Amino acid sequence: MIIMKSDATREQIDHVVREIEKYGLRADVSMGDFRTVIGLIGDERRIPFDHFSVLPGVKEARMVETPYKLISREYAKLAGEGGDRRTIRVGDIEIGGNEPVFMAGPCAVESKAQLFTIAEGVKKAGAHILRGGIFKPRTSVHSFQGLGAAGEDEAIEALEWMRQAGDHFEMPIVTEIRGEGQVDLVAKYVDIIQIGARNMYDQDLLIKVAQKKKPILYKRHFGAGIEEFLSFAEYMVAEDNKDIILCERGVLPLGKGKSYTRYTLDLAAVPVIQKETYLPVIIDPSHAAGRRDLVFNLSCAGIAVGACGLLVEVHHNPEEALVDSQQQITPAELTDLIATCRRIRKAIGVRKNGG
Ligand code: PEP
Ligand code: MN
């Protein structure tokens, strides 16, 4: 990391960047209110820090060992960007601000009528952002794979329904990209690109999605430690895209015998991650629980531990849903959930230091 003097000139900053590139690394230039900090992307052991510390305009040059330095609070603080939380603006919505943001919609888009019915319901319930899966990651090849699996025309049609529903009900939209081949198409339609839990480790996908320069909803893999999750998030930030919303959606349950929940919601991950980084964190109670009777409780708990928002699966007729029918709640249930979560946030407030 290279910390520039507060009066460093543009030329001096550019010179340091060129020097970094000479050693085969890339630079992330963070211009804060007080000073510029330059993060190094690549193997820092190749950098002669003594040489860098005497370059014109440089205040300090030092090695940073953490694998996720560009998203660390320390990095943002040094640049004088406050180091609190990044707020990601999507249309009129602010993710990471004082109010919790609710993303809701069906697990999978099934038809235009289904999507519009649910979009209307979640909007009325108070949701801000519409979700809907078109390319579904499924464990079994024999189950419904989402409308996108039927072919490009079907994928485009479903993406157009999402766009129309989002515009009609004034909600930005989010959908998942499952593979690199879908990135260019999906990025044309959506406001936020989702990277699902199963793809958390796909470096090439992360880089390609990040290069679209759109906000990304990035889900933790169910077997990933927090350090791994943050380290892989760093791949996207290294592509100069800091609009990453991290999502905790449950880790694998422990022990033998019947599992009472689909996954185990790692609630502590929320304040832990928010202390480590400035990126906003949300909770997905639906996939964590895997059963609709727990979604309300887990949502309340998520907001209570400081999540910036929730991603909730909602269906007007959950029993009939083609995917994840056991965990989707109704728009009426979402109304109660959102109202209660808002009361909880009001009672607790937003803790600036990651709470
Ligand atoms: C989803 O949100 O549609 C989804 C498949 O979730 P996850 O990637 O967390 O399993
Ligand atoms: Mn689902």
Side-chain angles (χ1 to χ4, degrees):
M1 181 184 295
I2 317 286
I3 303 164
M4 302 299 293
K5 289 178 182 157
S6 52
D7 59 358
T9 63
R10 182 75 239 189
E11 287 70 33
Q12 290 170 336
I13 295 166
D14 290 345
H15 178 233
V16 171
V17 170
R18 280 197 304 277
E19 282 294 300
I20 291 168
E21 288 168 354
K22 261 196 211 161
Y23 288 90
L25 280 79
R26 288 185 289 145
D28 177 83
V29 180
S30 193
M31 284 186 191
D33 299 335
F34 305 123
R35 65 175 78 87
T36 294
V37 180
I38 305 174
L40 302 172
I41 304 166
D43 185 356
E44 287 196 18
R45 287 169 307 182
R46 290 158 68 174
I47 295 285
F49 283 98
D50 288 349
H51 161 66
F52 276 80
S53 57
V54 294
L55 290 178
V58 172
K59 178 166 180 269
E60 195 186 330
R62 63 176 150 94
M63 179 118 151
V64 181
E65 305 265 9
T66 55
Y68 50 87
K69 51 202 169 194
L70 303 180
I71 62 169
S72 68
R73 271 176 181 265
E74 190 200 355
Y75 185 60
K77 261 193 205 128
L78 279 171
E81 287 176 19
D84 287 320
R85 193 180 287 159
R86 184 175 183 82
T87 49
I88 299 173
R89 290 199 71 87
V90 187
D92 294 337
I93 315 293
E94 227 180 49
I95 303 158
N98 290 332
E99 298 294 323
V101 169
F102 299 95
M103 309 184 186
C107 178
V109 175
E110 299 168 9
S111 67
K112 186 172 182 184
Q114 173 249 19
L115 179 63
F116 271 69
T117 304
I118 297 169
E120 183 175 17
V122 302
K123 176 73 184 185
K124 275 198 191 135
H128 305 91
I129 293 171
L130 178 65
R131 69 149 279 151
I134 292 170
F135 298 100
K136 293 304 304 171
R138 303 305 307 277
T139 304
S140 169
V141 70
H142 305 295
S143 52
F144 178 60
Q145 309 286 308
L147 293 174
E152 177 145 343
D153 290 349
E154 286 80 357
I156 290 173
E157 191 175 33
L159 284 162
E160 278 171 355
W161 297 337
M162 277 291 285
R163 187 68 270 160
Q164 288 161 12
D167 291 348
H168 186 78
F169 296 107
E170 296 180 341
M171 286 182 284
I173 57 172
V174 55
T175 200
E176 176 170 352
I177 286 183
R178 212 180 42 200
E180 285 179 64
Q182 297 152 6
V183 178
D184 291 336
L185 175 65
V186 174
K188 272 193 237 153
Y189 288 90
V190 301
D191 304 295
I192 303 174
I193 301 172
Q194 178 171 328
I195 296 179
R198 285 154 195 82
N199 286 316
M200 189 205 93
Y201 294 104
D202 188 340
Q203 284 169 233
D204 295 326
L205 181 65
L206 301 188
I207 291 168
K208 191 153 185 207
V209 169
Q211 286 169 346
K212 289 293 170 191
K213 300 279 151 65
K214 290 205 162 189
I216 299 167
L217 172 57
Y218 183 51
K219 300 185 89 173
R220 177 183 179 186
H221 187 273
F222 33 78
I226 289 170
E227 190 179 78
E228 271 180 303
F229 183 33
L230 299 182
S231 302
F232 278 87
E234 184 97 345
Y235 274 98
M236 295 178 280
V237 177
E239 294 304 316
D240 199 21
N241 186 347
K242 293 194 168 89
D243 286 340
I244 316 291
I245 306 148
L246 301 171
C247 180
E248 159 58 31
R249 46 77 75 213
V251 292
L252 288 169
L254 286 176
K256 289 187 177 148
K258 181 177 163 178
S259 279
Y260 295 87
T261 54
R262 189 172 176 186
Y263 294 95
T264 301
L265 183 61
D266 184 3
L267 281 170
V270 176
V272 166
I273 292 172
Q274 287 182 167
K275 281 179 201 295
E276 290 294 309
T277 88
Y278 50 81
L279 298 176
V281 184
I282 68 164
I283 286 271
D284 169 354
S286 307
H287 291 90
R291 43 190 274 196
R292 84 176 55 91
D293 62 328
L294 299 184
V295 169
F296 178 86
N297 304 57
L298 296 190
S299 298
C300 294
I303 293 299
V305 293
C308 298
L310 300 175
L311 177 71
V312 185
E313 287 192 339
V314 178
H315 200 286
H316 61 297
N317 191 358
E319 285 79 15
E320 304 276 296
L322 294 180
V323 190
D324 286 348
S325 63
Q326 72 294 345
Q327 70 194 29
Q328 308 209 48
I329 61 169
T330 62
E333 289 169 322
L334 183 71
T335 308
D336 182 29
L337 183 156
I338 289 178
T340 308
C341 285
R342 287 206 168 114
R343 287 206 302 278
I344 293 171
R345 174 51 46 86
K346 211 177 219 162
I348 293 176
V350 176
R351 306 285 158 108
K352 277 293 175 197
N353 187 23

